Amino acid sequence: MKIPGVPPAELADLNRVQDRLSFIYLERCVIHRDSNAITTTDDKGIVHIPAATLGVLLLGPGTSITQQAMMLLADNGATVVWVGEHGVRYYAHGRPLARSSRLLVAQAAAVAHRDRRLQVARAMYRMRFPGEDTTALTMQQLRGKEGARVRRCYREHANRTGVTWNNRMYDPDDFSGGDPVNQALSAAHACLYGIVHAVIVAIGASPGLGFVHTGHDRSFVYDIADLYKAEITIPVAFDIAARAPEDIGGDTRRAVRDRVHDGALLDRCVRDIRTLLLSPGGAIDEEWLDEEAERDTVRLWDESGYELAGGHNHGEDIDF
């Protein structure tokens, strides 16, 4: 029987996550589908956005989206996020672009093994401390170095922009309760978390299996986002706070968008995640990984270490 509706795109026809737009934020509009594009309609008219070009779609207050639009976005591996006022909540994502579970299995194995988890955590900190040897440092020592680095980063940008800086203080349930720079930091980090979450699920890893952070369904999101805050969101937040705009949340989102518009962050994020999970001490074969991610096959596990073909009645091969 033929299934009604537009068939989903073939995996080989989809854009890789690193080749997509980082994110688009929409509010007070209706999102629908027109062929292979989503449409956004408000009092200014209709805009068409090709679904295959999207990494993450942030839906702010006053938005509604049709089932057809959600089906299209899911088929194209885009992450859809419903966010509250100022983008401080994260709710949902679509099916990953990757069909292979290789990254997920490697991630779970590393998290479950103490020494391998420590190796990945040290590699994460090594990315933040270029030229420094982290191979013998404990997690306590690494946390201390990271805390000092972040405090120094805040002070440097406060001096650069003239913004008064006291401390990182915010209430997730009261965005306007913080001072301007803390509001800008919260908005900027929310955008970064959305981008990183979109990349993680698109390439088939788990947002919840973290190495430094733990116990939360976005632990790995926070792990990866921390690699880029000092370079992207912290300077953006201080720049916005120095301008003292009326709409801190909106101006911050647009500034983050402009900072990552060339797609370099997406490519870097994909590369960093793959390196951390598959080869925290060195390089990996990116070409082979791309081929592996596109394998849309299901196999059967065997305790001998071999993987057997799925879709086959193996009872015919065994004499009980």
Side-chain angles (χ1 to χ4, degrees):
M1 182 181 69
K2 181 179 180 181
I3 300 176
V6 180
E10 294 293 332
L11 186 62
D13 296 332
L14 297 180
N15 291 349
R16 299 187 308 168
V17 64
Q18 54 264 55
D19 298 328
R20 297 180 174 219
L21 299 174
S22 54
F23 73 92
I24 291 179
Y25 174 82
L26 300 175
E27 63 180 14
R28 296 174 177 83
C29 62
V30 176
I31 298 97
H32 193 38
R33 172 179 186 168
D34 183 5
S35 187
N36 287 323
I38 62 168
T39 62
T40 170
T41 305
D42 60 13
D43 54 4
K44 297 179 182 178
I46 301 176
V47 176
H48 286 70
I49 305 170
T53 66
L54 277 175
V56 58
L57 180 65
L58 301 175
L59 302 182
T63 55
S64 67
I65 187 166
T66 66
Q67 183 195 37
Q68 289 296 317
M70 280 301 304
M71 288 170 57
L72 177 64
L73 291 164
D75 286 341
N76 282 273
T79 297
V80 181
V81 185
W82 278 265
V83 294
E85 196 73 33
H86 306 294
V88 295
R89 292 288 185 270
Y90 187 106
Y91 296 115
H93 64 263
R95 185 181 182 187
L97 282 170
R99 297 297 182 260
S100 168
S101 63
R102 176 174 172 78
L103 277 176
L104 179 59
V105 171
Q107 181 183 11
V111 167
H113 191 282
R114 177 185 176 277
D115 291 343
R116 290 172 66 183
R117 183 170 186 169
L118 181 58
Q119 183 185 19
V120 174
R122 284 170 172 165
M124 287 180 173
Y125 282 110
R126 189 161 57 247
M127 291 177 174
R128 304 183 218 181
F129 310 130
E132 295 189 33
D133 185 6
T134 63
T135 55
L137 297 181
T138 65
M139 289 300 296
Q140 182 178 6
Q141 291 171 324
L142 291 168
R143 287 193 297 269
K145 288 177 67 66
E146 171 67 0
R149 183 185 77 107
V150 172
R151 287 195 299 272
R152 183 170 62 252
C153 183
Y154 285 143
R155 289 196 302 269
E156 289 174 352
H157 287 291
N159 293 333
R160 176 180 64 84
T161 60
V163 172
T164 300
W165 174 253
N166 296 312
N167 203 350
R168 180 73 173 116
M169 296 179 295
Y170 65 98
D171 181 352
D173 297 319
D174 183 13
F175 178 82
S176 59
D179 59 24
V181 68
N182 272 288
Q183 290 182 33
L185 283 166
S186 294
H189 292 341
C191 292
L192 181 60
Y193 294 150
I195 295 170
V196 170
H197 198 139
V199 171
I200 289 172
V201 298
I203 62 177
S206 168
L209 296 181
F211 293 85
V212 176
H213 297 85
T214 191
H216 192 275
D217 66 344
R218 300 180 72 193
S219 295
F220 193 51
V221 175
Y222 301 139
D223 280 357
I224 300 301
D226 279 354
L227 301 178
Y228 315 120
K229 285 181 179 178
E231 179 183 342
I232 297 174
T233 52
I234 292 177
V236 162
F238 275 89
D239 288 343
I240 294 298
R243 287 163 31 194
E246 292 185 6
D247 183 9
I248 290 180
D251 280 22
T252 301
R253 285 193 299 271
R254 287 185 284 273
V256 173
R257 176 200 63 196
D258 293 342
R259 181 65 69 93
V260 303
H261 81 282
D262 60 359
L265 175 61
L266 296 178
D267 185 66
R268 180 177 169 190
C269 192
V270 171
R271 186 173 61 252
D272 287 345
I273 293 171
R274 287 175 167 177
T275 300
L276 287 166
L277 297 183
L278 298 179
S279 181
I284 56 176
D285 187 342
E286 293 284 347
E287 183 177 349
W288 179 87
L289 255 183
D290 286 338
E291 294 176 357
E292 173 73 9
E294 293 180 0
R295 291 176 58 182
D296 195 2
T297 58
V298 178
R299 298 181 293 278
L300 304 177
W301 176 81
D302 188 82
E303 73 271 20
S304 66
Y306 293 101
E307 293 180 348
L308 307 176
H312 174 73
N313 189 335
H314 292 275
E316 300 173 357
D317 304 330
I318 301 175
D319 184 14
F320 291 99

